[in-house]
């Protein structure tokens, strides 16, 4: 708990709108309960003793002032300057580094910098810095496209992080051509006069081809592909030794009506559903999860590899599994007609979806049908041809119970964000030819509700047993983030209390549903929240309004779930007191690692999706896109395509013939002459101007100018022009008269 409090304290104190508070109001701003206050205070004292926070005049808490020398992470800008984000936060924040003082540091490098005072402006001291030492290079291998220039060969690195071209030696040795995708290892770092110099260590293929681009992402994000011989050997032996008939210690539920519902291209089916009514007429939901722990013992080669990978990675057109496919797509997959070992969670509900009881078991099951979400949706809409009557009845009952659970959870404060995903349409070569919004039919919600209920049931049990386990935590957002959200949604014409609770956020999301500003508001709400993560800390899940929560339902693809399965196994075998020993190197450290691998997988998937979409759009220059404004900056407007889900940039100069200014407080961009404004959530048709695939950039401009050049100057309520404009008009008239006299 102390580590979480430390992170939240530092995050709040770093917030640009933070005003120094005393300790008790600080705890209140972070939503710390009276029960947790002693732990909060202890965490604060640790930060204070380490010098990470200070108590100033009137006992007000703040970050320490900027020191004369800082160490931090360098971030380069294409214009030559950069910024350093200090490793130890201070009251100043990021430090500006002018172009002449970067010492050729590259994005991601850990550097030491001398702080230089630049004098005061508007009563505030201004600072800049000078890099004096590069302590650690972020990486020494770069992925990019090989290009031939007049002075030789260079690598144009991939990605949004600004990295200058790298001079490449001995190109002929690798038999490569211009526009090949390659990996280069740095031999010498850049200097004031020379580019970095490197050598090609791997050729990935021609830039633009699917196989080359996916290899590029895999190398860029350091993702693991093949399993070593030891892991493959263990997986093959486990699969060969599996005998579904050797299940004497398990409940035999093979006669139950059980189905799976998954995406059309899924092969690793890790959850199945049964639903019956007991003798009292109450619902008994069965959530049956593949028993991966039965095949992957703790500290075995497969377990060690799964821990390193953290999770499966789902890239467009390719999956990098956490476990070898002989397990993930074989004996651990709940395939129809096959007996499989599972851990079963049974939850009994009344007609209103309220929980009456829970129980758990090791079982052997047999799915009677594998359905896709689209197939299940058709059945619920009455298209039942070719589907067994018992499956039809099960699906209809599942919908009834799911809607009752959903209603109960929403009443309890569960927050559901509406963030549509994009599904790519690819040809046989892997080239994206089109895209459309992904299916979001109600069966998705059915499975989501049932999985959340099972996760919560297991976490509640383990909490009662008072054993440590890996939780899925989502801290409550701080007051400043909520106040900023309240201010932001005013730009959309909606009101939100200064310190909104879950109900107020639910009402806001319901009000914007189906409107142009829906996506922008949902993104704003998401950004105001903390990031969910894995940790053994008991702080609940804010968005789900859940006090006890963990991930249990996907052990094929998430290591966190496998850890939870092992603790549950101890309970089922009546040895739960030793459950904490199964976590090996410490739950906290494992939690940090798998939170990182989860984020890495999301980033890799998002970047490859962006690359493939940009490649498609590069052949559609001049085409129109139906978009909505999702971001405003001092240099332009970000819009998102409704169809493709990709963001493009409209630069200020392309908005129209006007002087455009970003008003951060009002959250809009205003034309100073015309009074025209651009605001978040605004619908806008744009035309594709250019695409830069290596830099992941899409540039667009409005189909229709936002400013009517012939538009007359605004008049006040009396019908007269504003006095300033009258003076300007008289001044112009005098200049014209003087000019005539001179002529």
């Amino acid at each position: 708990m102390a580590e979480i409090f430390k992170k939240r304290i530092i995050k709040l104190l770093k917030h640009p709108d933070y005003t120094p508070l005393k300790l008790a109001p600080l705890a209140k701003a972070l939503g710390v309960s009276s029960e947790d206050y002693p732990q909060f205070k202890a965490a604060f004292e640790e930060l204070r003793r380490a010098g990470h926070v200070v108590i100033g005049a009137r006992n007000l808490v703040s970050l320490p002032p900027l020191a004369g020398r800082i160490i931090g992470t360098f971030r380069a800008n294409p214009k030559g300057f950069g910024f350093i984000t200090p490793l130890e936060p201070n009251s100043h924040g990021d430090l500006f580094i002018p172009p002449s003082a970067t010492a050729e540091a590259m994005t991601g490098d850990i550097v030491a910098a001398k702080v230089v005072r630049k004098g005061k402006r508007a009563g505030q001291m201004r600072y800049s810095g000078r890099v004096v030492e590069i302590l650690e290079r972020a990486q020494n291998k770069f992925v990019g496209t090989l290009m031939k220039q007049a002075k030789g060969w260079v690598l144009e690195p991939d990605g949004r992080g600004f990295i200058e071209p790298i001079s490449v030696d001995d190109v002929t040795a690798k038999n490569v051509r211009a526009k090949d995708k390659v990996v280069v290892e740095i031999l010498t770092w850049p200097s004031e006069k020379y580019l970095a110099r490197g050598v090609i260590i791997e050729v990935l293929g021609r830039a633009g081809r699917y196989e080359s681009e996916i290899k590029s992402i895999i190398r860029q994000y350091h993702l693991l592909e093949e399993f070593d011989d030891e892991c493959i050997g263990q997986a093959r032996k486990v699969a060969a030794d599996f005998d579904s008939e050797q299940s004497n210690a398990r409940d035999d539920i093979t006669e139950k009506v059980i189905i799976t519902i998954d995406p059309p291209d899924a092969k690793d089916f890790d959850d199945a559903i049964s639903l019956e009514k007991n003798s009292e007429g109450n619902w008994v939901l069965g959530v049956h999860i593949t028993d991966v722990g039965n095949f992957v013992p703790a500290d075995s080669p497969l377990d060690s590899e799964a821990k390193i990978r953290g999770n499966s990675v789902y890239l467009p057109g390719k999956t990098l599994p956490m476990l070898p496919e002989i397990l993930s797509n074989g004996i651990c997959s709940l395939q129809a007609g096959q007996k499989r070992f599972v851990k079963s969670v049974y939850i009994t509900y009344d007609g209103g979806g309220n929980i009456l009881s829970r129980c758990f078991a090791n079982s052997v099951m047999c799915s009677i049908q594998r359905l896709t979400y689209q197939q299940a949706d058709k059945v619920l809409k009455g298209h039942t041809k070719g589907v067994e009557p018992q499956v039809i009845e099960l699906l209809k009952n599942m919908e009834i119970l799911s809607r009752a659970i959903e209603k109960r959870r929403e009443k309890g404060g569960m927050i559901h964000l509406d963030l549509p995903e994009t599904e790519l349409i690819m040809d046989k070569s892997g080239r994206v030819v089109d895209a459309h919004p992904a299916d979001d039919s109600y069966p998705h919600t059915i499975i989501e509700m049932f999985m959340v209920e099972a996760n919560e049931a297991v976490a509640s049990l383990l909490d009662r047993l008072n054993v440590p386990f890996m939780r899925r935590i989502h801290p409550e957002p701080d007051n400043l983030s909520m106040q900023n959200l309240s201010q932001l949604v005013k730009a959309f014409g909606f009101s939100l209390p200064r310190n909104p609770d879950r109900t107020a956020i639910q009402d806001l999301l319901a009000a914007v549903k189906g409107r142009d500003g829906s996506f922008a508001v949902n993104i704003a709400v998401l950004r105001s929240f903390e990031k969910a993560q894995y940790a053994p800390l008991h702080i609940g899940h804010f968005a789900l309004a859940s006090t006890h929560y963990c991930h249990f339902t996907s052990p094929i693809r998430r290591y966190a779930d496998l850890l939870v399965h092992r603790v549950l196994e101890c309970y089922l075998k009546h040895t739960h007191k030793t459950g904490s020993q199964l976590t090996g190197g410490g739950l906290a450290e494992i939690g940090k690692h798998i939170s990182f691998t989860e984020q890495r997988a999301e980033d890799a998937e998002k970047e490859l999706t962006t690359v493939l979409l940009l490649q498609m759009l590069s052949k559609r220059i001049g085409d129109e896109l139906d978009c909505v404004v999702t971001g405003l900056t001092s240099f332009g407007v970000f819009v998102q395509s409704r169809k493709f889900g990709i963001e493009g940039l409209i630069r200020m100069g392309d908005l129209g013939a006007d002087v455009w200014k970003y008003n951060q407080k009002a959250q809009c961009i205003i034309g100073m002459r015309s009074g025209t404004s651009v605001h978040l959530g605004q619908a806008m048709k744009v035309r594709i101007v250019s695409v830069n695939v290596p830099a992941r950039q899409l540039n667009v401009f409005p189909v229709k100018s936002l400013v009517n050049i012939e538009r007359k100057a605004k008049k006040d309520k009396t019908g007269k022009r504003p006095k300033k404009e009258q003076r300007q008009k008289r001044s112009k008239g005098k200049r014209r008269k003087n000019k005539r006299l001179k002529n």
Side-chain angles (χ1 to χ4, degrees):
M1 182 71 83
E3 289 303 314
I4 292 294
F5 277 139
K6 287 179 185 178
K7 289 180 181 178
R8 298 188 67 201
I9 291 169
I10 294 296
K11 182 182 177 183
L12 180 61
L13 268 58
K14 285 173 63 178
H15 199 289
D17 295 331
Y18 172 72
T19 302
L21 300 169
K22 293 182 179 180
L23 190 58
L26 179 65
K28 184 178 180 181
L30 288 170
V32 178
S33 65
S34 56
E35 294 81 6
D36 291 335
Y37 185 79
Q39 290 175 289
F40 164 81
K41 189 174 181 181
F44 174 82
E45 284 301 318
E46 288 184 31
L47 288 173
R48 188 184 64 79
R49 286 194 296 269
H52 300 326
V53 299
V54 295
I55 299 177
R58 294 181 294 162
N59 292 323
L60 298 176
V61 178
S62 65
L63 292 171
L66 189 63
R69 174 186 166 100
I70 68 166
I71 295 174
T73 305
F74 183 78
R75 183 176 76 256
N77 183 281
K79 294 183 179 179
F81 58 84
F83 293 91
I84 296 175
T85 301
L87 296 183
E88 299 294 343
N90 58 63
S91 56
H92 176 74
D94 290 359
L95 181 67
F96 173 76
I97 307 295
S100 61
T102 64
E104 304 305 325
M106 302 172 76
T107 295
D109 290 348
I110 304 299
V111 302
K114 181 180 179 181
V115 178
V116 180
R117 290 192 173 200
K118 304 295 288 184
K120 289 188 176 182
R121 177 182 293 174
Q124 295 289 325
M125 179 61 68
R126 297 181 302 126
Y127 298 92
S128 68
R130 177 169 58 85
V131 175
V132 296
E133 186 179 0
I134 297 174
L135 303 176
E136 181 183 337
R137 291 288 185 179
Q139 55 185 332
N140 68 338
K141 295 176 184 176
F142 293 88
V143 181
T145 304
L146 190 66
M147 303 296 289
K148 180 70 182 292
Q149 295 184 349
K151 294 183 179 180
W153 293 88
V154 297
L155 178 83
E156 295 283 355
D158 286 345
R160 288 191 175 93
F162 172 69
I163 301 173
E164 289 187 324
I166 299 167
S167 177
V168 180
D169 293 346
D170 198 19
V171 170
T172 56
K174 289 290 186 179
N175 194 30
V176 294
R177 297 173 292 167
K179 296 188 178 180
D180 274 353
K181 189 76 71 171
V182 299
V183 182
V184 166
E185 184 171 352
I186 299 294
L187 298 177
T188 59
W189 296 100
S191 65
E192 190 172 340
K193 294 182 178 180
Y194 301 104
L195 295 173
R197 187 169 60 87
V199 62
I200 296 171
I201 60 171
E202 186 178 4
V203 181
L204 304 178
R206 296 297 286 170
R209 291 181 181 172
Y210 173 76
E211 287 300 327
S212 304
E213 297 298 342
I214 201 166
K215 286 179 182 177
S216 170
I217 292 294
I218 289 170
R219 301 297 184 273
Q220 184 180 331
Y221 284 90
H222 309 289
L223 302 174
L224 297 175
E225 288 187 90
E226 304 301 325
F227 291 87
D228 62 27
D229 292 342
E230 193 174 17
C231 286
I232 294 297
Q234 181 187 348
R236 284 175 176 164
K237 185 177 188 308
V238 168
D241 292 345
F242 174 61
D243 182 359
S244 61
E245 301 303 324
Q246 298 296 318
S247 56
N248 296 334
R250 294 176 177 269
D251 293 349
D252 187 341
I253 56 172
T254 54
E255 298 302 315
K256 285 183 180 291
V257 179
I258 301 176
I259 62 171
T260 63
I261 305 178
D262 291 279
D265 57 350
K267 295 179 181 178
D268 51 350
F269 314 136
D270 48 17
D271 59 86
I273 301 297
S274 64
L275 182 60
E276 304 165 311
K277 281 199 171 182
N278 62 16
S279 58
E280 298 175 353
N282 294 314
W283 295 112
V284 180
L285 170 67
V287 178
H288 312 285
I289 306 300
T290 183
D291 195 353
V292 174
N294 185 76
F295 306 106
V296 183
D299 300 323
S300 66
L302 279 176
D303 178 58
S304 299
E305 182 71 11
K307 185 191 300 182
I308 292 170
R309 294 181 179 230
N311 44 260
S312 296
V313 181
Y314 296 93
L315 301 173
K318 187 178 182 66
T319 298
L320 305 178
M322 185 181 77
L323 297 170
E325 290 184 349
I326 194 172
L327 296 182
S328 61
N329 297 352
I331 61 172
C332 291
S333 184
L334 307 182
Q335 299 158 340
Q338 301 293 322
K339 288 185 177 182
R340 292 289 186 253
F341 291 173
V342 293
K343 281 185 161 41
S344 299
V345 178
Y346 296 101
I347 310 173
T348 304
Y349 298 90
D350 63 18
N354 299 300
I355 298 172
L356 301 177
S357 65
R358 297 159 168 157
C359 64
F360 310 85
N362 280 325
S363 313
V364 56
M365 61 153 273
C366 183
S367 168
I368 68 166
Q369 189 164 359
R370 175 266 205 267
L371 292 169
T372 67
Y373 287 109
Q374 293 85 345
Q375 289 171 335
D377 187 49
K378 287 181 179 179
V379 171
L380 293 177
K381 290 177 178 176
H383 305 288
T384 60
K385 185 177 180 179
V387 183
E388 293 291 331
Q390 56 189 351
V391 174
I392 298 171
E393 182 184 9
L394 173 59
L395 283 169
K396 290 181 176 179
N397 289 339
M398 286 168 60
E399 180 181 17
I400 292 170
L401 178 59
S402 174
R403 292 192 184 278
I405 292 171
E406 186 179 16
K407 185 176 180 180
R408 185 201 85 220
R409 297 196 70 93
E410 286 178 347
K411 187 177 180 181
M414 180 183 72
I415 296 170
H416 175 74
L417 294 175
D418 184 12
L419 297 170
E421 296 182 1
T422 300
E423 185 174 324
L424 304 182
I425 301 173
M426 307 170 79
D427 62 18
K428 292 181 180 179
S429 68
R431 184 171 61 94
V432 172
V433 294
D434 205 352
H436 56 74
D439 174 61
D440 63 351
S441 55
Y442 194 71
H444 288 274
T445 301
I446 293 175
I447 298 302
E448 179 187 354
M449 288 297 100
F450 291 170
M451 297 304 108
V452 166
E453 293 283 285
N455 288 335
E456 197 171 75
V458 172
S460 297
L461 168 70
L462 299 183
D463 263 335
R464 289 200 306 274
L465 298 175
N466 197 29
V467 295
F469 63 98
M470 187 64 73
R471 303 171 191 265
R472 182 66 167 178
I473 63 171
H474 186 222
E476 185 175 348
D478 61 73
N479 282 1
L480 280 180
S481 296
M482 289 291 96
Q483 289 169 15
N484 281 359
L485 176 64
S486 177
Q487 183 69 30
L488 179 62
V489 299
K490 288 181 181 178
F492 297 91
F494 296 99
S495 61
L496 196 65
R498 184 171 173 81
N499 291 302
D501 57 13
R502 287 190 181 92
T503 301
I505 296 173
Q506 287 176 324
D507 291 343
L508 169 67
L509 296 175
V512 301
K513 190 173 181 64
R515 300 195 182 190
D516 286 337
S518 176
F519 181 80
V521 169
N522 276 266
I523 283 290
V525 172
L526 178 65
R527 290 172 178 168
S528 71
F529 286 174
E530 299 274 349
K531 174 72 177 173
Q533 56 188 291
Y534 294 106
L537 307 170
H538 188 4
I539 62 176
H541 197 294
F542 175 77
L544 293 175
S546 179
T547 304
H548 314 278
Y549 201 69
C550 68
H551 275 170
F552 160 78
T553 56
S554 297
I556 288 179
R557 61 185 179 90
R558 293 189 304 226
Y559 191 69
D561 303 52
L562 179 54
L563 292 177
V564 170
H565 272 234
R566 289 177 180 150
V567 184
L568 180 61
E569 177 70 5
C570 291
Y571 163 77
L572 294 172
K573 290 188 174 180
H574 309 291
T575 59
H576 58 269
K577 290 184 178 179
T578 63
S580 60
Q581 297 175 9
L582 300 175
T583 59
L587 283 170
E589 288 304 312
I590 295 174
K592 289 180 183 177
H593 172 68
I594 60 180
S595 295
F596 162 75
T597 61
E598 176 190 42
Q599 186 63 55
R600 179 178 64 180
E602 290 178 10
D603 292 344
E605 179 189 9
K606 184 177 180 180
E607 182 158 353
L608 182 57
T609 299
T610 298
V611 168
L612 298 177
L613 284 170
L614 287 175
Q615 287 177 346
M616 177 190 69
L617 295 176
S618 68
K619 296 176 175 60
R620 301 186 183 185
I621 302 298
D623 281 10
E624 294 183 10
L625 298 175
D626 185 19
C627 295
V628 61
V629 175
T630 53
L632 304 171
T633 71
S634 59
F635 55 84
V637 176
F638 285 99
V639 295
Q640 184 182 48
S641 166
R642 295 181 194 271
K643 180 177 181 180
F644 301 123
I646 193 170
E647 273 195 335
L649 172 66
I650 307 173
R651 300 193 180 279
M652 284 292 201
D654 293 329
L655 288 173
D658 208 330
V659 177
W660 299 93
K661 297 291 184 183
Y662 173 43
N663 186 326
Q664 186 173 9
K665 185 175 182 180
Q667 281 298 305
C668 66
I669 288 177
I670 301 175
M672 303 306 290
R673 296 170 184 158
S674 65
T676 301
S677 65
V678 180
H679 54 82
L680 291 170
Q682 180 175 332
M684 191 180 296
K685 284 189 178 297
V686 303
R687 181 168 282 114
I688 301 172
V689 179
S690 64
V691 173
N692 185 337
V693 178
R696 313 326 190 207
Q697 291 176 350
L698 171 65
N699 294 311
V700 298
F701 68 79
V703 170
K704 294 183 179 179
S705 175
L706 302 183
V707 179
N708 185 349
I709 299 176
E710 302 298 325
R711 181 175 176 177
K712 295 180 179 179
K714 294 179 291 183
K715 298 181 180 181
D716 62 19
K717 293 180 180 179
T718 66
K720 298 180 180 179
R721 297 179 186 273
K723 291 183 179 180
K724 182 178 179 180
E725 292 190 18
Q726 292 177 21
R727 289 195 300 269
Q728 289 175 342
K729 188 174 182 180
R730 286 196 296 268
S731 177
K732 289 179 182 178
K734 288 180 180 178
R735 286 198 296 271
R736 284 195 296 269
K737 182 178 180 181
N738 291 337
K739 188 175 182 180
R740 286 196 299 271
L741 290 173
K742 288 179 181 179
N743 291 339

